[in-house]
Amino acid sequence: MGTVRQAVGDWIAYYGPVEGLPNRYYTAIAKITDLVSDENLAGHFYAVLDKCIDFDRPLNYLEGGGYETGLIDSTGKPNGGRVRSAIRPLSERDFATMIAAGFSDKDDWPARTDELEDRDSADGFSEISQTPLTGTPEVRRILSYINNRPFRETKFRLHIRKLYDRTCSFTGLRLINGKGRPEVEAAHIIPVEHGGNDSVQNGIALSGTVHWMFDRGLLSLSDNYDILVSRQLNYDVSHLLNKNLKASVPSNQAMRPHPHYLEWHRTNCFKT
């Protein structure tokens, strides 16, 4: 418990199994802002998380000799005692190395060029060496990216577009412009301004018009991914939506919109 308390106000990396893959992986990062007691189980706590965002790909904990100092021994085998620890402290250098690998993909479909003028590149760390990093200035430069809103927006957009194959979940439309850029947008279910994070479970791919209606509570989703249409919508949009009025979601349940976020949208945004 002491290790967790020390992490309040700091970043963590998610670590565990991934469906369909062997071994264990680092899959995302988030920031712990608080610990809340479990009212039903004495001595247990919930971690309140902020700024959660998925890595571009799961990082096998064994690759490249391992990301955590001391996790892999000199023979290349895992340190059994350390591997079994559910909560482990990470050095700043190890965390930065993990970030450099986890966010190394470039955005194949960036925003329009006029939106990127005079903006520092924020779509990945592929230009940074992914060998273990030394030197505080370099480490802090990399860590500063994850607090950068444009960087997190870029990554969220990239992850959602890839996950939904650049296709609108509500309409099935897959529009690609002449330069190969998809027109589908990455929509937050709980908006960032209301405390929403950049996890793919808080996102869904929507075309522009549908995104506009979703944000204004004219469309929503049930926990079973039925598309809900507000009675306050003054025109029929059924011809725009999937014929079965079901949203298309990823086959991997861990990548689908989470019921917690959907319930928030129905309660706080949807106009019944």
Side-chain angles (χ1 to χ4, degrees), residues 195-214:
N197 59 49
D198 297 302
S199 165
V200 295
Q201 290 188 308
N202 186 40
I204 192 164
L206 299 175
S207 61
T209 299
V210 173
H211 188 178
W212 182 91
M213 289 190 286
F214 185 81

Side-chain angles (χ1 to χ4, degrees), residues 22-52:
N23 294 326
R24 289 179 177 269
Y25 297 79
Y26 310 100
T27 57
I29 60 171
K31 198 169 189 177
I32 297 182
T33 59
D34 198 5
L35 296 177
V36 179
S37 298
D38 186 336
E39 296 179 355
N40 300 312
L41 199 57
H44 289 70
F45 299 83
Y46 291 101
V48 180
L49 303 178
D50 184 32
K51 297 180 181 178
C52 179

Side-chain angles (χ1 to χ4, degrees), residues 59 66-67 92-102 129-133 142:
L59 303 177
Y67 290 96
E92 188 179 67
R93 187 203 67 175
D94 288 348
F95 189 53
T97 304
M98 195 180 296
I99 289 171
S129 171
Q130 292 175 27
T131 56
L133 300 164
I142 294 174

Side-chain angles (χ1 to χ4, degrees), residues 3-15 26-35 46-55 86-91 95 98-99 103 143 146:
T3 303
V4 178
R5 289 192 185 280
Q6 292 175 13
V8 173
D10 207 346
W11 291 89
I12 62 167
Y14 286 88
Y15 169 80
Y26 310 100
T27 57
I29 60 171
K31 198 169 189 177
I32 297 182
T33 59
D34 198 5
L35 296 177
Y46 291 101
V48 180
L49 303 178
D50 184 32
K51 297 180 181 178
C52 179
I53 186 168
D54 305 272
F55 284 147
I87 301 172
R88 305 190 293 267
L90 279 174
S91 70
F95 189 53
M98 195 180 296
I99 289 171
F103 293 127
L143 293 178
I146 59 180

Side-chain angles (χ1 to χ4, degrees), residues 143-154:
L143 293 178
S144 70
Y145 273 84
I146 59 180
N147 282 305
N148 181 281
R149 185 67 220 151
F151 168 77
R152 296 202 306 277
E153 287 174 350
T154 296

Side-chain angles (χ1 to χ4, degrees), residues 82-123:
R82 188 167 172 81
V83 167
R84 284 191 291 270
S85 298
I87 301 172
R88 305 190 293 267
L90 279 174
S91 70
E92 188 179 67
R93 187 203 67 175
D94 288 348
F95 189 53
T97 304
M98 195 180 296
I99 289 171
F103 293 127
S104 59
D105 285 358
K106 290 286 186 181
D107 190 350
D108 293 330
W109 317 294
R112 293 181 178 89
T113 54
D114 58 334
E115 296 173 357
L116 295 177
E117 288 179 358
D118 301 321
R119 178 187 291 183
D120 186 28
S121 174
D123 56 358

